[in-house]
Amino acid sequence: MKKSLIKKYLTRLDQYDEGTTISWEQLGEQEINAYAEALGKEIPKSYRWFLETFGESFLFGFKFKGGVAFSKDTIVGMNQKLVAELEPFLGAGLEKRYLFFIDESSDGYAFDYDHILIDNEPEVVCWDWMGVYPRKKNFYSFLWDEIKNYFDNEEELAFLIDEADKEYFEWK
C-alpha cells in the first residue's frame, strides 16, 4: 500500500511542483546490479524499487543518486568521495557500513548496513560532519515521511491530496 501511495504522490508532484523532477529513466536490473557490484554491497530492495520506478530524481530539494556510468556524478563516485571526506571525522570502515544516496555538501542520507531492520533492509540514517543519526526504519518510510513533510510545508499543493488519502497525511 505504501508503494502505491508513494508512486501516486511523487507522480503528482512531478506534474505540479517545479522543485520536483523525476527523470522517469528507470534503471534496469543490469545497471543496478553493476552499481551493486561496483559498491561491493547489495542495493536495498526498497531503493532498487525506487530506481527501477523513477530513476535518478530530484525530490524535496535532494538529488537521489542512481547512475553508474551515464554521468560523472554517479552513486559510486559519490560514495568514494564521501568515504574519503568523512572518515577523518566519523572513523574508518564507512565504505563497508554505509551506502550514501544523498549528499548535500554538509549532510545527507545513507543506508546503514550494520542495522538491518524491517524486511531485511538497512536502516536509513542522516549524516553530517559530527556523526550519524538514525532516521527511518526503511526507505519506504523515509520517502513517505518526506512526501508528508513536503505537502505540509507546501500548502498550495494540498489540492493534490485525494480525500480518501487524507488520513495517511496525518501524523500519528
Side-chain angles (χ1 to χ4, degrees):
M1 197 270 294
K2 206 170 254 189
K3 285 195 308 192
S4 63
L5 284 174
I6 289 169
K7 186 172 182 179
K8 176 181 184 178
Y9 286 102
L10 287 182
T11 301
R12 287 184 183 180
L13 285 173
D14 187 43
Q15 294 169 346
Y16 291 98
D17 181 46
E18 291 178 12
T20 300
T21 306
I22 295 175
S23 72
W24 298 107
E25 294 178 22
Q26 296 94 343
L27 277 68
E29 185 175 345
Q30 185 176 1
E31 186 173 12
I32 293 172
N33 290 340
Y35 120 56
E37 186 177 325
L39 289 165
K41 55 182 65 103
E42 187 62 36
I43 305 306
K45 182 175 60 173
S46 55
Y47 198 58
R48 182 179 282 271
W49 169 81
F50 178 83
L51 294 173
E52 289 171 342
T53 305
F54 301 106
E56 225 176 37
S57 299
F58 191 80
L59 311 168
F60 325 117
F62 305 129
K63 182 171 183 184
F64 288 77
K65 304 282 188 184
V68 176
F70 297 118
S71 78
K72 283 183 159 183
D73 189 23
T74 68
I75 194 162
V76 176
M78 180 184 73
N79 273 267
Q80 291 168 342
K81 178 184 100 139
L82 285 173
V83 165
E85 289 176 4
L86 293 172
E87 277 191 340
F89 301 97
L90 303 179
L94 299 181
E95 189 172 291
K96 289 184 180 194
R97 181 170 179 180
Y98 298 108
L99 169 58
F100 298 96
F101 64 92
I102 295 176
D103 173 18
E104 292 297 311
S105 297
S106 61
D107 64 357
Y109 294 94
F111 293 102
D112 182 351
Y113 285 81
D114 277 3
H115 292 98
I116 305 295
L117 302 171
I118 298 173
D119 294 331
N120 206 30
E121 293 237 343
E123 179 179 37
V124 174
V125 295
C126 178
W127 61 267
D128 64 22
W129 297 100
M130 302 299 291
V132 177
Y133 315 97
R135 179 78 168 97
K136 281 290 154 195
K137 301 291 183 209
N138 63 35
F139 188 69
Y140 298 124
S141 296
F142 168 79
L143 268 181
W144 185 244
D145 278 356
E146 290 297 322
I147 290 169
K148 290 191 320 185
N149 285 337
Y150 200 77
F151 275 101
D152 191 42
N153 293 331
E154 304 291 334
E155 292 178 14
E156 68 273 8
L157 296 174
F159 75 95
L160 295 174
I161 301 172
D162 292 339
E163 192 65 38
D165 294 339
K166 286 194 178 190
E167 68 179 284
Y168 299 113
F169 284 88
E170 296 173 11
W171 290 101
K172 302 204 181 219

